[in-house]
Amino acid sequence: MRQIYSSLKQIGYEVVERGCSKSLLKKLRDDKPDVVFNLSSIYSWDKTNLIPAVLEIAGVRYTGSGILGLSLARNYTKLFPLFINSGIRVPAFAIIAVGSPSSDGLCYPLTLLHDSMRSGLCLRHAEDLIRTPDLFSLGEEVLLMERIPGERVSLFVLDRLPFPSDGDQPYLAIAQKAYDVMEARGLARFDFIRADEPILEWIEIAPDPLDEQLLQTAASVGWDVDKVLQSLVQHSARDLSPVAVLS
Amino acid sequence: MNIGIVYNSFAHKDPLPEEKEMRDTGLSIGKYLSEFGHRVQYFDMDSPESIDELCASKIEVAFNACERIHDDARGEVYAAALLEYLGIPHTRTSSWLISLGINKERVKSILVYYHINTPLFQVFRTGEQELDPDLKYPLFVKGLASDNSIGIDENSLVQDEHQLKAKVNQIITQLHQPALVEEYIDGREFSVAILPGLENRVLPISEIVFQDLPSECRFLDYNAKWFTDSERYQKTIPVCPARLTDDERQVISQTALRCFNVLGLDSYARVDFRYRNGKLYVLEVNQNPSINEEDSGYVRTCNGYGLDYLALINILLKNAIERKCENLHARTDRPGFSYSSKDAADLFKLETNRL
């Protein structure tokens, strides 16, 4: 965060840090920023999907996705059915209730996804599944996904376009479809399993702009950190139109 | 208790019928709670000062009757999310589920995934799209994200391509949203109210009887919903409980509860159906049914079930508080947890980076 703060100042922005407290809305109204660089979902998980609501009510533009995109990325049990409906290929999966001993015909090893966790749990055997009630409440939904071997390919997308370059992006069409399904905004990363028909495995809806892979890709087209951050600021947005915003 | 009423005053305009109802619902609920002895504060989401007061308030629970922020329907999501951010339990379903449910295509996609029958559909984002050959006329056209029957009128039921394009274009240009085009199911129409609680309850099924209306008028349009002197309003008669066989009642009730559960809803909702030739179709899962005391179907069903308005209000408030407690518990120690963090990490190979 320090680096982002310094870089934004270096670019020429006046930067004020604000933490996620109950007085955030009031502070935003007092500060009247042109843009909020929303880092909350990048470095934290719990309740940070709600921050865009505060920003929308405050009437400020912000980087990154809104509530729906941030929330769907936490809820693969709702996200994957939407992807299926849109014709996006994902690993074989099942949505089960915690406590169910059945993996619904899926082959181990599996990844278990729950909305309280930023990443998945690896289940190597059926015995691992039986122990999940120790970690989650009985009856809660979780998603089980097959772990498919193969090369992984990542694609960064900024407002539907490959980021930072317009190079050859064979997975772009699928990423754009997923981006639209999630009503994503700003920067997102889509991780695929390389295949004749690519399989979308994971979405990082709030990627770290200092992500090593992102910066390496950016550097390959002559972009430094400052340019990356500036681009994100320029692509900030909000849902509510100016006339709909409370002054 | 200290209870907040989060609502829209629409003081900045001459409110439309549905907006008057939104406002009056909030005010009416507040009045009931005050008379019952609660300390009630009103927070008008159309007022910045009032929102600031909400952020600084010490209310224990909010009755969330807000559906707009400065006339934008997405405000419904933001109001609920703000309450959650502030840690205030509220009576609506979770904000992100409100956001999910605003878009009817998303809801239908999830229902289809769980093999719950819903009319075939297609989303039109432009008026130039071609109709899917699987969709046959007559078709029903509505806004993808509309509520309160906004945009539904006598032209919503279309019989040919010309009518379809006209209605689709009207929705896109006037409502500024894609159009949802569905196969029209001409059959009996039912509504099922679900009451939230530690065990969610399916209330008696209500039927909307379209009395003496020609077949092309048998649906609830905006006039039928909001103008009591309209012919449609007067000829759409709610009947509760609906006349059904035991089997029919069971299928409809179970399907309604299934819709509620697969969408992850956790507060009051209503599921609307059409029933034709023994086949049930889910038309809509409404996670914000009107709970206006005067003439809302949901309240009428509750009354028939033996719940007066105050009882309903109290159930919804209690449910809001119970949900908050449940969420807090889920984030702390879980009963039966017998592994240390390290054990759990070893056992399940916790990965903190990518999969």
Side-chain angles (χ1 to χ4, degrees):
Chain A
M1 271 192 274
R2 283 283 111 205
Q3 187 177 352
I4 292 173
Y5 178 90
S6 301
S7 289
L8 290 171
K9 282 196 75 119
Q10 198 167 286
I11 293 167
Y13 295 113
E14 186 185 332
V15 185
V16 175
E17 280 185 47
R18 287 285 174 239
C20 299
S21 68
K22 288 192 178 181
S23 58
L24 176 61
L25 179 57
K26 179 147 193 342
K27 286 180 179 162
L28 289 171
R29 288 236 187 84
D30 292 342
D31 292 340
K32 294 186 177 50
D34 296 303
V35 173
V36 168
F37 204 104
N38 184 13
L39 295 171
S40 58
S41 287
I42 298 170
Y43 300 116
S44 189
W45 190 249
D46 193 31
K47 286 170 88 171
T48 54
N49 58 318
L50 304 173
I51 297 290
V54 180
L55 304 178
E56 293 281 353
I57 295 172
V60 296
R61 297 169 63 90
Y62 54 97
T63 60
S65 289
I67 288 182
L68 182 70
L70 293 176
S71 299
L72 277 171
R74 286 160 163 73
N75 286 275
Y76 277 55
T77 56
K78 298 291 180 286
L79 181 61
F80 270 21
L82 297 182
F83 280 171
I84 295 288
N85 180 65
S86 296
I88 295 170
R89 196 167 167 226
V90 295
F93 70 94
I95 297 168
I96 66 162
V98 171
S100 165
S102 167
S103 65
D104 211 28
L106 299 176
C107 298
Y108 287 91
L110 300 173
T111 298
L112 181 149
L113 296 169
H114 182 268
D115 64 0
S116 65
M117 298 159 27
R118 187 153 200 163
S119 54
L121 288 179
C122 177
L123 307 182
R124 287 174 301 169
H125 315 286
E127 291 76 19
D128 290 342
L129 183 63
I130 290 167
R131 294 192 184 105
T132 53
D134 291 335
L135 291 180
F136 310 109
S137 298
L138 274 178
E140 276 190 290
E141 275 190 340
V142 292
L143 183 134
L144 300 179
M145 181 168 70
E146 284 188 349
R147 294 172 75 91
I148 301 173
E151 188 186 348
R152 264 56 180 175
V153 174
S154 290
L155 175 63
F156 286 93
V157 172
L158 178 63
D159 289 346
R160 301 189 88 251
L161 295 176
F163 183 80
S165 70
D166 290 337
D168 181 29
Q169 302 285 0
Y171 302 94
L172 180 60
I174 303 169
Q176 286 175 327
K177 211 187 263 190
Y179 196 89
D180 292 341
V181 166
M182 299 176 78
E183 293 187 9
R185 272 211 302 267
L187 188 67
R189 192 189 77 223
F190 297 88
D191 298 339
F192 293 89
I193 302 165
R194 194 187 285 280
D196 289 338
E197 202 184 325
I199 301 168
L200 179 58
E201 182 182 47
W202 184 256
I203 301 93
E204 180 49 74
I205 197 69
D208 186 347
L210 303 183
D211 176 272
E212 194 182 319
Q213 189 185 356
L214 171 65
L215 293 181
Q216 276 175 2
T217 311
S220 71
V221 295
W223 286 38
D224 59 10
V225 168
D226 288 358
K227 195 159 161 87
V228 168
L229 295 178
Q230 185 151 38
S231 187
L232 299 183
V233 170
Q234 286 165 351
H235 283 264
S236 61
R238 64 179 171 216
D239 281 336
L240 297 183
S241 63
V243 294
V245 166
L246 301 172
S247 55
Chain B
M1 288 187 80
N2 279 328
I3 301 177
I5 305 295
V6 176
Y7 79 116
N8 296 110
S9 69
F10 296 109
H12 56 283
K13 62 187 287 191
D14 189 14
L16 297 164
E18 65 272 18
E19 291 167 345
K20 279 186 193 159
E21 195 206 65
M22 291 174 204
R23 175 197 65 199
D24 294 346
T25 299
L27 295 174
S28 166
I29 287 168
K31 184 165 166 288
Y32 266 90
L33 290 170
S34 287
E35 286 171 2
F36 194 66
H38 292 293
R39 285 181 294 281
V40 176
Q41 289 177 261
Y42 293 86
F43 300 101
D44 176 13
M45 297 303 280
D46 293 326
S47 157
E49 292 77 24
S50 201
I51 296 176
D52 285 345
E53 286 168 12
L54 173 63
C55 292
S57 77
K58 299 272 188 273
I59 56 172
E60 294 163 79
V61 62
F63 205 107
N64 184 7
C66 173
E67 294 192 38
R68 303 282 188 266
I69 288 194
H70 233 267
D71 303 333
D72 194 309
R74 287 171 291 194
E76 189 181 351
V77 176
Y78 302 138
L82 178 64
L83 289 167
E84 289 158 20
Y85 178 76
L86 296 171
I88 299 171
H90 66 85
T91 50
R92 290 288 309 279
T93 204
S94 307
S95 62
W96 99 265
L97 292 172
I98 298 174
S99 176
L100 184 78
I102 275 177
N103 179 305
K104 296 177 184 20
E105 182 186 18
R106 285 197 286 264
V107 172
K108 286 168 79 81
S109 300
I110 292 171
L111 296 181
V112 165
Y113 172 79
Y114 284 96
H115 307 292
I116 296 171
N117 201 28
T118 174
L120 291 178
F121 69 98
Q122 182 181 353
V123 175
F124 277 69
R125 299 181 201 279
T126 73
E128 280 72 51
Q129 277 174 246
E130 291 299 316
L131 183 67
D132 185 322
D134 287 337
L135 281 169
K136 309 292 182 202
Y137 292 101
L139 300 168
F140 198 82
V141 186
K142 53 189 168 185
L144 187 67
S146 287
D147 59 3
N148 293 295
S149 301
I150 294 168
I152 298 181
D153 58 24
E154 64 276 8
N155 300 314
S156 297
L157 183 61
V158 300
Q159 308 284 353
D160 56 42
E161 188 183 353
H162 174 75
Q163 290 179 1
L164 171 66
K165 286 196 182 304
K167 187 61 183 172
V168 164
N169 281 322
Q170 183 204 21
I171 285 176
I172 291 173
T173 55
Q174 291 182 13
L175 299 186
H176 308 292
Q177 57 184 277
L180 179 71
V181 176
E182 294 178 303
E183 62 171 325
Y184 177 66
I185 310 298
D186 187 11
R188 295 175 73 183
E189 180 157 331
F190 299 107
S191 288
V192 182
I194 297 175
L195 195 63
L198 290 175
E199 200 170 305
N200 300 313
R201 275 173 283 177
V202 177
L203 299 187
I205 299 165
S206 183
E207 179 170 7
I208 308 295
V209 174
F210 300 100
Q211 196 175 60
D212 300 328
L213 283 171
S215 60
E216 65 271 15
C217 296
R218 291 179 184 228
F219 55 89
L220 283 167
D221 68 358
Y222 186 81
N223 285 347
K225 191 159 175 150
W226 299 110
F227 294 103
T228 55
D229 56 352
S230 70
E231 184 192 14
R232 282 216 197 201
Y233 181 95
Q234 288 168 5
K235 290 187 175 178
T236 50
I237 315 290
V239 173
C240 186
R243 288 205 186 94
L244 294 161
T245 65
D246 287 345
D247 284 347
E248 287 169 340
R249 194 173 305 113
Q250 189 173 33
V251 165
I252 295 171
S253 298
Q254 282 177 349
T255 307
L257 193 58
R258 195 143 179 265
C259 291
F260 186 90
N261 289 334
V262 303
L263 290 169
L265 302 183
D266 51 13
S267 189
Y268 62 101
R270 193 191 73 226
V271 186
D272 299 334
F273 297 90
R274 280 270 168 130
Y275 191 64
R276 177 181 70 184
N277 299 333
K279 202 167 172 189
L280 195 60
Y281 297 80
V282 176
L283 293 185
E284 184 149 354
V285 181
N286 188 341
Q287 28 90 336
N288 185 27
S290 169
I291 50 170
N292 173 269
E293 187 188 5
E294 296 302 317
D295 60 0
S296 75
Y298 192 94
V299 171
R300 211 168 28 243
T301 302
C302 289
N303 293 163
Y305 186 67
L307 286 174
D308 63 19
Y309 200 53
L310 186 58
L312 169 62
I313 294 167
N314 280 323
I315 285 174
L316 299 184
L317 287 168
K318 182 167 176 272
N319 171 255
I321 294 169
E322 281 166 355
R323 279 185 281 136
K324 171 102 191 286
C325 294
E326 206 176 271
N327 286 340
L328 282 175
H329 174 71
R331 279 167 164 70
T332 57
D333 291 340
R334 297 175 190 277
F337 187 87
S338 57
Y339 298 95
S340 68
S341 297
K342 183 179 180 309
D343 288 338
D346 286 345
L347 200 61
F348 293 103
K349 292 292 181 280
L350 281 167
E351 297 175 23
T352 55
N353 297 314
R354 289 163 54 179
L355 293 174

